[in-house]
Amino acid sequence: MKAGASSGAFRPRRLGHVNLYVADIEQSMSFYRKVLGIEEAYRTPLGGGGFVSNGNTHHDVGFTAAFGPLGKPRGAKPGQLSHIALELENERELVEDYYRAVKAGVSFLRTTDHDIAHSIYGRDPEGVIYELYADVVKDWRTHRSGVVTKPKPDWKPGMTPPVEKACYHEVPVITRVPEAIFHPLRTTHAAIVVANMEKAVDYYCKVVGLAADPACGGKPFAVLKGTCNERSLILYSASGIRAPGYHHVAMRVASPAELAKSADKARRAGIPVVAEMLHCGRCSVMVRDPDNCLVRFYADEGREPGADDVDPSLALFVL
Ligand SMILES: [Fe+2]
């Protein structure tokens, strides 16, 4: 067992991004910039990929063309989750943790050299694909802007000397899209509805290495955190009205006042607001993207609401 936030095989810091299958990369990139307020970072046309970011990491959200060269062979449909991605401290930890997990009997789907980051992909017991990655380049903007066509060489953990230092930015420069309707600071967490809560929490703690908030014991939801001690993943028990699967991505905005203004602006612009609520001091506004994926923006009036503060029936829309 390693010291730190969890006793898992890995020790992720936080959620880095979600990647969604989309019908039309152009449409998604445009909507996320003009409406949701996240800038285009770069594109990878050879794989049918598009990536948006406000500077927190190289991408807060990634898009994969459902009918493109990566999506088509996987039978992807627009609006499906491709994967969630969790950031590790550095590549050395990624490599060491990978071999520890493999030795313990964990199997993974694939490993990939993304040039700026090295990644390991696995599948959780619910079928959700997760990526564990470490940045290997700090100045990602130099390597990732515009159209990127650099091929991705074969990579197995450890076949290149692992980068020892942390390459994420402690205090990233966050940009703002002034003309957009919403103004998120960054992606913070993803919400997934699960069929078997106990099994899913066990996997995310023991294999992925997130730490479960003990205050969620006995509740229909679980809050999982990385070593940054922020919510990275919310799991919610499936019910008759809520089927298992990816539910939404959550993005923090600067203040409740700004969020209220954005919600009004969205309505005036004809963008349907799926949900808007103030609960336990947290304001949340949900909208759908062009592929029907839910995006939730939130801001707190005071401290972050705790698991015991929240009405369990609203937790999926509040936490
Ligand atoms: Fe990814």
Side-chain angles (χ1 to χ4, degrees):
M1 186 186 296
K2 299 169 67 173
S6 81
S7 57
F10 294 84
R11 197 161 51 150
R13 299 180 70 243
R14 58 179 181 171
L15 184 79
H17 61 265
V18 296
N19 191 301
L20 306 169
Y21 287 115
V22 300
D24 182 335
I25 292 282
E26 197 60 52
Q27 175 182 248
S28 296
M29 300 287 266
S30 173
F31 186 85
Y32 273 73
R33 184 178 192 285
K34 291 179 184 165
V35 177
L36 304 191
I38 315 175
E39 291 186 317
E40 174 169 338
Y42 61 101
R43 296 169 187 238
T44 52
L46 296 180
F51 304 87
V52 293
S53 167
N54 278 351
N56 182 52
T57 73
H58 30 80
H59 59 294
D60 269 299
V61 181
F63 308 112
T64 302
F67 310 120
L70 291 181
K72 202 171 177 184
R74 298 172 185 167
K77 292 188 174 61
Q80 287 179 335
L81 174 73
S82 168
H83 60 269
I84 60 169
L86 296 151
E87 176 191 79
L88 268 70
E89 180 69 18
N90 58 46
E91 190 193 9
R92 180 181 52 76
E93 279 198 16
L94 180 78
V95 171
E96 288 177 1
D97 294 350
Y98 170 78
Y99 284 109
R100 184 182 303 108
V102 169
K103 202 172 170 187
V106 181
S107 55
F108 295 94
L109 296 172
R110 61 185 181 275
T111 58
T112 305
D113 179 349
H114 288 298
D115 188 29
I116 50 168
H118 288 169
S119 302
I120 292 161
Y121 294 83
R123 196 190 299 274
D124 79 7
E126 300 277 327
V128 171
I129 294 176
Y130 62 87
E131 173 186 5
L132 292 157
Y133 76 93
D135 288 342
V136 294
V137 170
K138 190 152 190 175
D139 178 20
W140 55 264
R141 288 182 191 280
T142 300
H143 301 262
R144 282 286 184 273
S145 63
V147 174
V148 178
T149 54
K150 191 172 176 183
K152 297 188 177 184
D154 287 338
W155 178 77
K156 290 280 175 266
M159 73 180 266
T160 50
V163 175
E164 297 272 339
K165 64 180 183 187
C167 291
Y168 55 83
H169 289 254
E170 287 277 8
V171 186
V173 177
I174 302 294
T175 55
R176 180 183 172 98
V177 181
E179 66 272 29
I181 291 177
F182 292 93
H183 301 289
L185 299 173
R186 50 167 288 221
T187 287
T188 55
H189 56 287
I192 294 172
V193 179
V194 296
N196 188 326
M197 176 67 82
E198 197 180 335
K199 214 170 163 183
V201 169
D202 193 59
Y203 187 88
Y204 277 103
C205 290
K206 288 184 180 163
V207 177
V208 175
L210 294 173
D213 181 347
C216 299
K219 298 187 190 304
F221 56 82
V223 172
L224 295 154
K225 298 180 175 182
T227 59
C228 288
N229 198 32
E230 63 178 39
R231 293 168 187 174
S232 292
L233 185 60
I234 307 293
L235 303 179
Y236 198 85
S237 289
S239 65
I241 56 163
R242 213 171 298 289
Y246 172 70
H247 193 267
H248 70 265
V249 62
M251 300 180 186
R252 183 180 286 281
V253 302
S255 70
E258 181 171 72
L259 188 52
K261 271 190 214 163
S262 295
D264 284 346
K265 204 172 165 186
R267 288 192 184 91
R268 287 200 304 274
I271 308 290
V273 172
V274 177
E276 182 176 13
M277 66 170 76
L278 170 60
H279 183 63
C280 299
R282 173 161 288 185
C283 307
S284 292
V285 173
M286 252 178 184
V287 295
R288 289 192 184 275
D289 76 6
D291 294 282
N292 224 24
C293 285
L294 286 168
V295 179
R296 178 159 68 91
F297 301 99
Y298 70 92
D300 295 329
E301 288 189 329
R303 70 173 179 86
E304 184 173 61
D308 284 330
D309 304 328
V310 177
D311 178 337
S313 66
L314 300 176
L316 193 54
F317 301 91
V318 174
L319 288 171

